[in-house]
Amino acid sequence: MDSDQPLTSYAPPARRRGYVRAMHQVAADRSPGAPVRVYLSAPPEFLTRPSWQDRVDTIRAALPTGVEFLTYQDAFDPTADYHPQWAALAETLDGLIVTGTRRDKRRPREQTLGPIARQELITMVSASRPVLLHRAEYGLVPVLDCRPKRIGQEPRQRLRLTIPRDWSPSERTLQAALHALGGENPEEAEDVRIPRPAHITAPFTAPPRRT
């Protein structure tokens, strides 16, 4: 890609159009007045940082009014097994927000998700629900627009997401995702085919093993 051209997404244009259409369909399928629940997934060490509550409040303010916003403290019993709790919670969620760690200060646009956050992401993307990455400098960014790179091996495989260099919160993909979470419809969706979940999840999942 020409470095002089704005880089607002790593996803192909057709895939972005399909995502916008899919998000509009999610909004259209919701029953009037139905509650909207979003879960914020974050590394455990984030929860004890002095700035954590400010970050939670910032993300909450960026979501449509009326969204039920859940964090680990709200949604999980730390004394019980995580996996069945997540399976039950995921069935009730309309969206997911992920945050990651920055391993290299020279690469501020890169965020790394641990194995649990990666699996949570795959679950929600497979269900055609909006999944957004949050970083303070960039706000909310659909993971669709980020460049994914799998790191390590299963079952501890991690996911590195790179935010586009010229990301803008006015991008149609973000506005469509917020509409899917109960926000106002910013525009009419284009008449394009909704992508199958497998096409969406492919960048985040490990390739099949050869037999």
Side-chain angles (χ1 to χ4, degrees):
M1 177 178 291
D2 189 337
S3 61
D4 293 332
Q5 294 295 318
L7 178 60
T8 56
S9 178
Y10 289 104
R15 195 157 162 246
R16 298 188 85 205
R17 291 194 298 269
Y19 179 84
V20 169
R21 173 60 178 162
M23 293 299 101
H24 279 274
Q25 190 64 55
V26 169
D29 290 343
R30 181 176 296 110
S31 300
V36 177
R37 309 183 89 208
V38 174
Y39 176 65
L40 170 60
S41 176
E45 62 266 28
F46 281 23
L47 308 184
T48 58
R49 291 181 176 179
S51 61
W52 175 242
Q53 188 57 50
D54 288 339
R55 186 169 192 178
V56 170
D57 293 342
T58 297
I59 298 173
R60 191 194 309 272
L63 295 173
T65 302
V67 169
E68 183 182 0
F69 188 50
L70 305 173
T71 63
Y72 181 86
Q73 295 96 323
D74 306 314
F76 290 93
D77 177 356
T79 65
D81 187 4
Y82 157 82
H83 295 285
Q85 290 186 87
W86 165 250
L89 176 66
E91 291 291 330
T92 73
L93 294 177
D94 298 279
L96 175 69
I97 296 174
V98 294
T99 62
T101 57
R102 186 177 65 181
R103 300 300 184 187
D104 188 340
K105 293 183 178 180
R106 297 169 298 177
R107 302 176 182 272
R109 293 184 290 111
E110 290 184 357
Q111 298 284 278
T112 301
L113 307 183
I116 290 178
R118 173 176 168 264
Q119 288 301 322
E120 291 172 344
L121 179 153
I122 291 171
T123 297
M124 296 304 293
V125 172
S126 297
S128 299
R129 294 295 182 260
V131 181
L132 307 172
L133 173 68
H134 181 264
R135 180 157 182 80
E137 298 90 330
Y138 296 92
L140 296 172
V141 184
V143 296
L144 170 100
D145 290 309
C146 298
R147 181 175 62 196
K149 181 179 180 180
R150 295 181 295 270
I151 304 171
Q153 302 295 324
E154 295 288 10
R156 301 295 299 169
Q157 191 168 84
R158 294 169 292 144
L159 180 67
R160 179 180 297 159
L161 295 171
T162 302
I163 297 171
R165 181 189 63 220
D166 303 306
W167 171 256
S168 168
S170 64
E171 290 297 319
R172 293 180 63 227
T173 46
L174 175 59
Q175 298 308 311
L178 294 177
H179 177 49
L181 297 176
E184 295 183 357
N185 185 350
E187 59 185 66
E188 291 297 324
E190 295 185 15
D191 184 18
V192 295
R193 185 174 302 172
I194 299 175
R196 293 179 180 270
H199 294 179
I200 301 174
T201 58
F204 312 115
T205 57
R209 294 182 178 179
R210 294 181 178 179
T211 56

